Amino acid sequence: MGMNEAKLQEILDQYPAKVQKNRKKHIFIKRSDVESQQIEANTRTIPGIITNRGCAYAGCKGVVLGPIKDMVHIVHGPIGCGYYAWNTRRNKAKSDDPKQNFINYCISTDMQESDIVFGGEKKLAKVIDEVMEIFHPKAITLSATCPVGLIGDDMGAVAKAAEAKHGVQVLSFSCEGYKGVSQSAGHHIANNILMEKVIGTGDQEEAPAKFPINLLGEYNIGGDGWEVERILKEIGYHVVSVMTGDGSYEAIKNAHTAELNLVQCHRSINYIAEMLETKYGTPWLKVNFIGIQGTIESLRNMALYFDDKELTLKTEAVIASELARIEPIFDQYKKICEGKTAFCFVGGSRGHHFQNLFSELGIETLLAGYEFAHRDDYEGREVIPTIKTDADSKNIPHYTAEVDEKRFRLKVSPEKLEELKAKIPLGEYKGMRFDMKDGSIIVDDLNHFETEEFIKVLKPDIFTSGIKDKYVIQKMGINSKQLHSYDYSGPYAGFNGAVKFAEDISMGFASPTWNFITPPWKNQPLLEGTVTEEGVA
Ligand code: CFM
């Protein structure tokens, strides 16, 4: 049973009128016969609705800053905020110098009632002193949680004093949870300060090797970044920095030396990509290393950009040898997956990226969406000029990158750039809608009520999302897979990742567990009502 406008309306009809009016704007059924299908995104969730979103602090400290391994990240706030951003995201890191890898620590000022009443600045300064004494990091970040903004602690002043005292960079982030409608605001706050104060402060004028690139928006969840780096290095690329999975402060400082920036997660880091182009003249290329074909296409596009005979030959050689190795295994799993259907609802980019892998396994994505993406992630970057800045977005301090007179260098001529833009997605992202089939549903900020309703109508074989709805879905008898933390597995990127993903979801499909669970619709009527003299109630 597919979805159509009438059935969608039936679901929406269960909402009170005002809520219905709001939610209707966040959902559409893909139609390619109409040129544009606008969606409302990056707006407040209606209070009372159970959403899967996080907060600005989660986006800043948890997502962008947290994976940088050689900085100590201090959370200024009550202990819960620190605890819940403590490695649950599974952004892995390893270091040649174990004394400069702080990824396993959770450092918080543990604010108590007295700190809320009398202020927490002194406590924060003391924690910085302790961190310096114990860890000797090269740099520190301070992330604000909600109460810090409410009581007005001046973290910037504490950071400045600590910098003078200890002689290392101490970056202060006003990423209080309420600073935006979701974690997306926190990405922006983190991007701005990294660009303003870290990127480009390194000594290197040029990269030490040929084909230098930055990998942006890759957070090494379950080791994804390591698999992508393995492939890139085998081809002959020099990875200057990864932002920020298994990332390093030292490497990020020299990110200006790259000749090309790759953008994996557009939502969380397109700000830095754009600013690197403005400031240093480095173009960015949208890539997707999820899925075999996505990986191959990304590698070929990179080769086109560098336009070097040897690099192109090596690219093809690596693709051929990887395919020969993995295809026979992948095809075995495909036999288990073929013909199945999926819902794919993740944060701000995976809801789109993983559809590649599903389709390679013969699985059709019936519904997809993002928790907190913006309209451009659904509809393509060309809508950016038409997006209105609302009060919530104005909360984010503005930062405009300017040309670095000393280090700006055009990496390719303007003519060549135009020529390349016609062939590869340079500075371009077409969004999720572009790749989805007609009749499929696109939902922004899907909530728990809608989750259950869409499952009842479409009965997908697998639902990929996160911890907040995983067990609800599983209890409905649907194979459920976390695509944030990968359920303790991974990597899922690159060639090896595609095989690992295929293996994991095949195990899910083949598990006899589902025979022991009876989904509610098998023994309960979907509609309940009584017939009275006046009619149906
Ligand atoms: Fe980018 Fe991410 Fe995502 Fe994201 Fe996230 Fe994540 Fe995500 Mo969870 S940066 S937008 S804020 S790809 S933590 S690694 S999985 S919601 S789809």
Side-chain angles (χ1 to χ4, degrees):
M1 201 181 358
M3 181 57 82
N4 56 35
E5 295 292 344
K7 282 191 198 122
L8 177 59
Q9 192 55 47
E10 269 175 42
I11 293 175
L12 291 166
D13 277 342
Q14 298 177 67
Y15 279 131
K18 235 174 132 183
V19 177
Q20 178 181 153
K21 199 173 154 222
N22 176 305
R23 286 303 301 157
K24 220 175 167 168
K25 295 182 200 151
H26 294 262
I27 307 171
F28 67 81
I29 298 175
K30 160 84 189 265
R31 284 180 56 181
S32 47
D33 59 341
V34 291
E35 203 185 314
S36 78
Q37 285 184 291
Q38 196 172 318
I39 193 162
E40 194 158 290
N42 192 34
T43 53
R44 289 182 192 187
T45 302
I46 300 166
I49 278 190
I50 306 176
T51 167
N52 288 3
R53 283 173 162 181
C55 65
Y57 155 77
C60 180
K61 191 272 171 185
V63 173
V64 181
L65 304 177
I68 307 174
K69 61 192 169 191
D70 52 356
M71 297 172 103
V72 167
H73 306 291
I74 299 175
V75 178
H76 189 30
I79 194 65
C81 302
Y83 184 83
Y84 287 106
W86 185 19
N87 263 353
T88 45
R89 184 161 170 253
R90 300 190 68 245
N91 45 279
K92 298 184 169 201
K94 57 186 171 202
S95 175
D96 296 335
D97 180 0
K99 285 190 177 154
Q100 286 296 312
N101 181 1
F102 309 110
I103 208 85
N104 290 328
Y105 291 97
C106 166
I107 295 165
S108 161
T109 52
D110 184 23
M111 285 177 102
Q112 304 289 321
E113 200 172 351
S114 59
D115 305 314
I116 301 295
V117 176
F118 299 107
E121 291 174 16
K122 281 196 189 122
K123 198 170 188 185
L124 177 60
K126 194 163 165 253
V127 170
I128 299 172
D129 291 347
E130 283 176 14
V131 161
M132 285 309 299
E133 202 188 312
I134 301 169
F135 299 111
H136 315 289
K138 293 168 189 152
I140 290 173
T141 70
L142 313 176
S143 291
T145 59
C146 294
V148 172
L150 298 175
I151 65 173
D153 270 2
D154 188 348
M155 282 195 354
V158 176
K160 213 170 154 200
E163 278 187 346
K165 184 172 176 185
H166 297 292
V168 301
Q169 205 169 21
V170 181
L171 303 170
S172 165
F173 295 82
S174 292
C175 55
E176 289 86 349
Y178 56 76
K179 273 282 165 68
V181 299
S182 70
Q183 51 266 64
S184 175
H187 302 149
H188 202 165
I189 291 166
N191 276 221
N192 282 355
I193 293 178
L194 286 180
M195 193 66 206
E196 190 184 348
K197 298 190 169 164
V198 181
I199 294 167
T201 59
D203 300 332
Q204 288 177 14
E205 290 304 329
E206 278 193 23
K210 270 170 95 179
F211 313 122
I213 49 122
N214 291 313
L215 179 51
L216 307 185
E218 171 48 66
Y219 300 93
N220 203 30
I221 311 300
D224 273 359
W226 290 335
E227 164 67 0
V228 175
E229 272 191 84
R230 177 188 73 82
I231 301 164
L232 295 179
K233 284 179 180 164
E234 203 176 326
I235 293 173
Y237 289 102
H238 172 68
V239 181
V240 177
S241 76
V242 182
M243 289 188 221
T244 55
D246 194 20
S248 117
Y249 173 69
E250 287 300 331
I252 293 171
K253 287 202 311 196
N254 286 311
H256 59 278
T257 61
E259 300 276 323
L260 175 68
N261 293 314
L262 308 179
V263 173
Q264 171 71 21
C265 169
H266 174 264
R267 180 66 267 133
S268 63
I269 212 149
N270 75 92
Y271 318 96
I272 285 181
E274 284 281 297
M275 290 189 278
L276 279 169
E277 183 153 20
T278 309
K279 201 165 176 183
Y280 303 109
T282 323
W284 62 268
L285 176 71
K286 179 72 187 76
V287 289
N288 180 14
F289 290 110
I290 300 293
I292 298 172
Q293 291 313 318
T295 302
I296 291 175
E297 196 184 314
S298 300
L299 295 174
R300 287 190 174 142
N301 288 346
M302 291 170 69
L304 279 173
Y305 174 86
F306 283 101
D307 196 13
D308 177 275
K309 202 173 161 212
E310 213 175 293
L311 186 82
T312 307
L313 284 173
K314 189 71 199 203
T315 302
E316 291 306 326
V318 168
I319 291 171
S321 79
E322 292 284 323
L323 281 182
R325 182 174 63 85
I326 63 158
E327 260 181 341
I329 321 167
F330 192 80
D331 288 348
Q332 291 302 315
Y333 293 122
K334 196 171 169 180
K335 286 181 196 155
I336 299 174
C337 298
E338 215 145 33
K340 301 256 192 296
T341 56
F343 282 11
C344 188
F345 180 74
V346 206
S349 74
R350 294 181 176 184
H352 180 193
H353 286 158
F354 273 80
Q355 291 184 36
N356 264 1
L357 249 176
F358 279 135
S359 89
E360 283 167 18
L361 286 164
I363 300 171
E364 189 186 344
T365 305
L366 304 175
L367 176 148
Y370 304 121
E371 289 171 22
F372 52 77
H374 299 199
R375 275 185 59 205
D376 37 314
D377 303 294
Y378 293 100
E379 300 174 58
R381 280 184 70 86
E382 70 271 14
V383 304
I384 291 177
T386 68
I387 299 175
K388 285 188 216 101
T389 319
D390 60 12
D392 291 306
S393 308
K394 282 184 190 141
N395 255 342
I396 303 161
H398 197 68
Y399 174 67
T400 315
E402 273 158 26
V403 175
D404 182 323
E405 299 292 352
K406 219 175 109 228
R407 285 178 161 168
F408 182 93
R409 192 167 48 79
L410 278 183
K411 308 298 187 291
V412 287
S413 69
E415 302 78 53
K416 173 90 184 172
L417 196 66
E418 284 315 304
E419 194 188 301
L420 280 168
K421 276 183 175 172
K423 290 189 226 158
I424 60 176
L426 268 185
E428 172 63 310
Y429 175 47
K430 286 200 161 75
M432 170 193 278
R433 177 182 177 266
F434 184 79
D435 284 330
M436 288 194 71
K437 272 195 185 162
D438 275 17
S440 55
I441 308 163
I442 299 178
V443 191
D444 175 66
D445 191 16
L446 181 75
N447 58 50
H448 284 208
F449 166 72
E450 287 160 13
T451 296
E452 291 183 28
E453 293 301 304
F454 283 125
I455 287 177
K456 282 184 206 160
V457 179
L458 294 168
K459 302 181 178 59
D461 297 299
I462 184 167
F463 195 140
T464 52
S465 57
I467 189 70
K468 290 170 189 160
D469 52 11
K470 178 184 173 75
Y471 297 101
V472 176
I473 294 160
Q474 218 158 262
K475 283 173 187 168
M476 291 180 83
I478 308 284
N479 186 5
S480 162
K481 175 86 207 149
Q482 290 192 65
L483 276 191
H484 298 251
S485 71
Y486 297 166
D487 281 322
Y488 333 109
S489 187
Y492 288 160
F495 297 111
N496 288 337
V499 174
K500 187 76 199 148
F501 181 76
E503 180 191 344
D504 285 356
I505 63 163
S506 297
M507 278 200 291
F509 288 137
S511 164
T513 313
W514 311 108
N515 301 328
F516 301 120
I517 299 171
T518 311
W521 56 80
K522 290 237 168 110
N523 53 17
Q524 275 171 29
L526 287 183
L527 288 170
E528 272 175 35
T530 44
V531 181
T532 62
E533 274 177 22
E534 289 81 39
V536 178

